[in-house]
Amino acid sequence: MNFIKIITISCRFLLECATVIGIFSGIFIKHNLLSKIIFAVIAILIFLVWSRYGAPHSPQALTGVAKLILEIIVYTIGGSCWIIIFGKTTGSIYSAIAVIDLILMYLLKIEQL
């Protein structure tokens, strides 16, 4: 496996972790009780859905277009939450990394591994 694929896969793993942890941190950063509950529910739902349908070794793992749609939905929700929690700059950086990683995953055909 070449160096770019290793970096892309590593970035993907970190992005998956950062998505859930970042959204979950909204519980501690936001002061409004409703916001705390919403971020907790979103983080838990993303964790459950991703572990069932997005994880590569899951028996129910999606492939092809269905997986791409799941990734777009998860990273769009993640980017939106990051903007709300951490601000426009940090959320935009998260979103840019997610888009670049998603493009590289499909250009390098890593999603088939």
Side-chain angles (χ1 to χ4, degrees):
M1 191 176 300
N2 69 27
F3 184 70
I4 295 175
K5 285 186 178 183
I6 292 171
I7 295 297
T8 304
I9 291 171
S10 300
C11 184
R12 168 56 63 100
F13 174 73
L14 293 174
L15 197 57
E16 291 168 0
C17 293
T19 300
V20 175
I21 292 169
I23 295 171
F24 194 75
S25 69
I27 296 170
F28 306 105
I29 294 173
K30 293 298 179 180
H31 299 291
N32 182 348
L33 180 62
L34 181 59
S35 296
K36 291 176 185 251
I37 293 170
I38 290 171
F39 287 126
V41 169
I42 291 172
I44 291 168
L45 285 175
I46 286 178
F47 175 78
L48 292 174
V49 169
W50 191 264
S51 63
R52 182 166 188 134
Y53 300 111
H57 297 293
S58 171
Q60 294 88 17
L62 299 175
T63 58
V65 175
K67 173 92 183 263
L68 177 62
I69 291 170
L70 174 66
E71 292 168 335
I72 290 171
I73 290 170
V74 167
Y75 292 131
T76 300
I77 292 170
S80 301
C81 289
W82 271 63
I83 289 170
I84 293 167
I85 296 168
F86 301 111
K88 190 186 240 183
T89 303
T90 307
S92 297
I93 292 169
Y94 165 89
S95 298
I97 292 170
V99 168
I100 291 167
D101 188 71
L102 195 57
I103 290 169
L104 285 174
M105 289 290 287
Y106 284 88
L107 282 178
L108 299 173
K109 298 181 182 351
I110 297 174
E111 80 282 356
Q112 299 170 359
L113 296 177

